[in-house]
Structure formats: structure tokens, C-alpha cells
Amino acid sequence: MAPRAPDYGTHALAAAMTFAVAVAVFAYGGSFVDDKLGTSPVFLVTGCLLGVAGGMLHMISRLAPGALPFGRRGKNRTASQQDPE
């Protein structure tokens, strides 16, 4: 039996759902804080922006793992990039 090709559609759908949930959770949290403190849309907007940023970082790390400049340790680094000991 031949190996199956990776199904990128399911990875993209999972990343998109994670993005949507991150934005929704942070927006709800911001709305909750706004209600408790009596501020208008300050924390709601902040929560939405944090959700978008976190969701995008997660989506990029799942769909294009080599695109992010941080978090690379180990084999892919040259001798000049190694941490000093």
C-alpha cells in the first residue's frame, strides 16, 4: 500500500478554527473586563488584537513552521549562531 499524501486541508482547517477560537476567547475576556471595570471598548479591542496576534502566530507555526525566526534550536543552526557557553 502506498503512503498517503499529507492532507493539508485538515491542517489548514484546524489552524483556522484555532485562530477563530483564540479571537473569540480573548474578545470575550476583554468584554468581561470592560464590564467589570466600566471601561467602554478598551479591553475588548485589546483582547481582539491579542487574539489575532496569537492566532496568527499559531497558524504560521502550524502551516509554515520554518517561517518564524524564533524557536529554532538545534540542527539548523550554524556554528556562528550557537549559544555561547
Side-chain angles (χ1 to χ4, degrees):
M1 181 175 221
R4 280 184 73 192
D7 189 7
Y8 294 111
T10 56
H11 294 297
L13 180 62
M17 292 301 294
T18 304
F19 178 80
V21 168
V23 173
V25 166
F26 276 93
Y28 177 76
S31 176
F32 179 78
V33 171
D34 276 336
D35 287 344
K36 292 297 179 186
L37 297 179
T39 56
S40 184
V42 175
F43 290 102
L44 175 65
V45 172
T46 303
C48 287
L49 292 175
L50 285 174
V52 167
M56 287 300 292
L57 284 174
H58 181 268
M59 188 179 300
I60 291 170
S61 72
R62 289 288 152 210
L63 299 179
L68 293 175
F70 46 87
R72 294 186 198 166
R73 293 182 102 47
K75 322 179 222 183
N76 296 337
R77 296 171 65 176
T78 63
S80 64
Q81 294 174 324
Q82 296 296 329
D83 292 331
E85 295 181 13

